Amino acid sequence: MGAGRLYGAVAVGGFRRYATYRAATAAGVFTNTVFGLIIVYTYLALWDERPHLGGYDQTQAVTYAWLGQALYSTLAIQGGGTEKDLMARIRTGDIAVDLYRPADLQLWWLASDLGRTLFQLLGRGVVPFAFGALVFDMALPHSAATWAAFAVALLLAAVVSFGIRYLAALSVFWLLDGTGVNQAVMVLGIFCSGITLPLNVVPGALGDLVQILPWAAQLQMPADVLMGETSCWSAYGFQAAWAVVLLAAGRVVQSAATRRVVVQGG
């Protein structure tokens, strides 16, 4: 089997695995829709008081809120993607099986996570976003080219998200437990990704900082591409740069972690 077919099959497997959890998916759709309503009405009140806050008008703020709910699980912004499985395999020692496979460890888990990403987008992200578009005025583009540009930004966001979480998972080679790391991923994801408030709303030096961190590539960049608030090439450059840095860092840490492996569990 060629490398492309191999990793394609892994991605399909990741998609099918998450597709089996139908009740959890339905519950997630309901949860994201409810939270979307709460956040939207909070935004409406905030933008009534501060029109054009962060350079967005009220319609754009509503669009951002629903996009955040659509991408919350898609990009595993709070964690909970394939990195949890990788952490568990490291902790139990099953990672030894992965290391014996005639496949690249990082690419294997990236392919699996991209399969999960696609399912979460279709299964859990589309319905809340469509609901928001039906009930509220949203700043959605009419150009197919803009939607295509958004799709590219979303793919790059998925790679950046994986890069962050892969590094977190590899830390378990030394920590032997992923509980604290998962909590750190959750806190950083909630604050730094802009899932609570757009990053361009954060004031001062803190706002400047969060807009150059890799989490900005997950939600803020795709949202701005969709709403025409930034050049797609500028967004792609930012996202691709962080994707390369994070994947390269993952390679370095993976090499250090597997150079001399003491397998847990035997």
Side-chain angles (χ1 to χ4, degrees):
M1 180 181 289
R5 290 181 59 193
L6 171 63
Y7 298 118
V10 173
V12 170
F15 183 98
R16 288 178 174 172
R17 177 189 171 190
Y18 281 85
T20 61
Y21 301 110
R22 298 176 184 176
T25 300
V29 169
F30 176 78
T31 301
N32 285 125
T33 303
V34 171
F35 271 93
L37 288 169
I38 294 170
I39 293 172
V40 163
Y41 281 111
T42 303
Y43 279 16
L44 290 174
L46 179 58
W47 261 261
D48 275 338
E49 294 295 322
R50 296 284 303 277
H52 301 288
L53 179 63
Y56 287 168
D57 60 27
Q58 198 172 67
T59 304
Q60 289 175 311
V62 169
T63 306
Y64 184 95
W66 285 113
L67 185 61
Q69 292 307 302
L71 299 185
Y72 179 78
S73 293
T74 300
L75 299 178
I77 287 175
Q78 195 176 339
T82 54
E83 82 283 353
K84 294 191 74 173
D85 296 329
L86 178 54
M87 287 177 178
R89 293 183 71 81
I90 295 171
R91 182 176 57 81
T92 61
D94 291 337
I95 190 65
V97 176
D98 299 339
L99 294 173
Y100 270 112
R101 289 191 182 114
D104 182 85
L105 184 68
Q106 187 182 52
L107 290 179
W108 178 284
W109 286 98
L110 173 59
S112 179
D113 198 63
L114 289 177
R116 178 207 62 81
T117 296
L118 181 59
F119 173 76
Q120 294 289 21
L121 175 64
L122 299 177
R124 186 166 171 176
V126 170
V127 173
F129 191 77
F131 173 84
L134 289 173
V135 177
F136 298 91
D137 291 330
M138 290 172 58
L140 299 178
H142 299 290
S143 168
T146 304
W147 283 105
F150 169 71
V152 174
L154 188 56
L155 176 60
L156 289 170
V159 177
V160 171
S161 172
F162 168 79
I164 294 170
R165 292 178 287 110
Y166 188 70
L167 281 170
L170 291 178
S171 69
V172 178
F173 274 109
W174 291 275
L175 299 176
L176 307 183
D177 184 84
T179 303
V181 177
N182 282 328
Q183 292 296 316
V185 168
M186 179 183 69
V187 172
L188 288 170
I190 290 174
F191 181 77
C192 296
S193 70
I195 192 69
T196 306
L197 277 172
L199 297 180
N200 51 20
V201 171
V202 181
L206 181 58
D208 294 335
L209 175 63
V210 293
Q211 291 188 64
I212 63 173
L213 294 177
W215 290 272
Q218 292 181 281
L219 176 55
Q220 189 69 56
M221 288 294 108
D224 284 342
V225 168
L226 183 67
M227 296 186 290
E229 288 296 310
T230 187
S231 161
C232 62
W233 297 112
S234 174
Y236 295 165
F238 178 82
Q239 292 177 297
W242 271 117
V244 169
V245 168
L246 291 167
L247 292 179
R251 286 281 176 183
V252 172
V253 175
Q254 174 184 310
S255 177
T258 57
R259 187 174 296 118
R260 182 178 180 183
V261 180
V262 178
V263 175
Q264 305 302 309

